[in-house]
Short mmCIF file of all heavy atoms in Angstrom, two decimals:
data_model
loop_
_atom_site.label_atom_id
_atom_site.label_comp_id
_atom_site.label_asym_id
_atom_site.label_seq_id
_atom_site.Cartn_x
_atom_site.Cartn_y
_atom_site.Cartn_z
N HIS G 588 64.16 -76.49 -281.46
CA HIS G 588 63.62 -77.68 -280.88
C HIS G 588 64.26 -78.87 -281.48
O HIS G 588 64.76 -78.83 -282.61
CB HIS G 588 62.11 -77.70 -281.22
CG HIS G 588 61.23 -76.67 -280.53
ND1 HIS G 588 60.96 -76.71 -279.21
CD2 HIS G 588 60.70 -75.51 -281.03
CE1 HIS G 588 60.21 -75.63 -278.89
NE2 HIS G 588 60.07 -74.90 -279.97
N CYS G 624 60.58 -83.75 -277.81
CA CYS G 624 61.52 -82.67 -278.05
C CYS G 624 62.84 -82.91 -277.23
O CYS G 624 62.67 -83.10 -276.04
CB CYS G 624 60.91 -81.28 -277.78
SG CYS G 624 62.11 -79.94 -277.89
N ASP G 626 65.58 -80.73 -277.12
CA ASP G 626 66.29 -79.48 -276.80
C ASP G 626 65.42 -78.76 -275.80
O ASP G 626 64.38 -78.23 -276.12
CB ASP G 626 66.60 -78.68 -278.05
CG ASP G 626 67.53 -77.55 -277.77
OD1 ASP G 626 67.63 -77.14 -276.61
OD2 ASP G 626 68.21 -77.04 -278.76
N CYS G 628 63.49 -76.51 -274.24
CA CYS G 628 63.06 -75.33 -274.95
C CYS G 628 62.28 -74.32 -274.10
O CYS G 628 62.17 -73.16 -274.46
CB CYS G 628 62.22 -75.72 -276.23
SG CYS G 628 60.80 -76.75 -275.81
N HIS G 632 58.89 -77.95 -271.60
CA HIS G 632 59.62 -78.81 -272.52
C HIS G 632 59.29 -80.30 -272.28
O HIS G 632 59.15 -81.06 -273.29
CB HIS G 632 61.07 -78.50 -272.39
CG HIS G 632 62.01 -79.55 -272.95
ND1 HIS G 632 62.18 -79.78 -274.31
CD2 HIS G 632 62.70 -80.49 -272.33
CE1 HIS G 632 63.01 -80.78 -274.45
NE2 HIS G 632 63.34 -81.26 -273.33
N MET G 635 56.48 -81.65 -274.13
CA MET G 635 56.49 -81.58 -275.62
C MET G 635 56.76 -82.91 -276.08
O MET G 635 57.95 -83.36 -276.32
CB MET G 635 57.57 -80.56 -276.05
CG MET G 635 57.38 -80.18 -277.49
SD MET G 635 58.43 -78.66 -277.87
CE MET G 635 58.31 -78.70 -279.61
CU1 CU M 701 60.93 -78.10 -277.64
#
Side-chain angles (χ1 to χ4, degrees):
Chain G
H588 291 283
C624 172
D626 190 335
C628 55
H632 162 73
M635 196 165 167

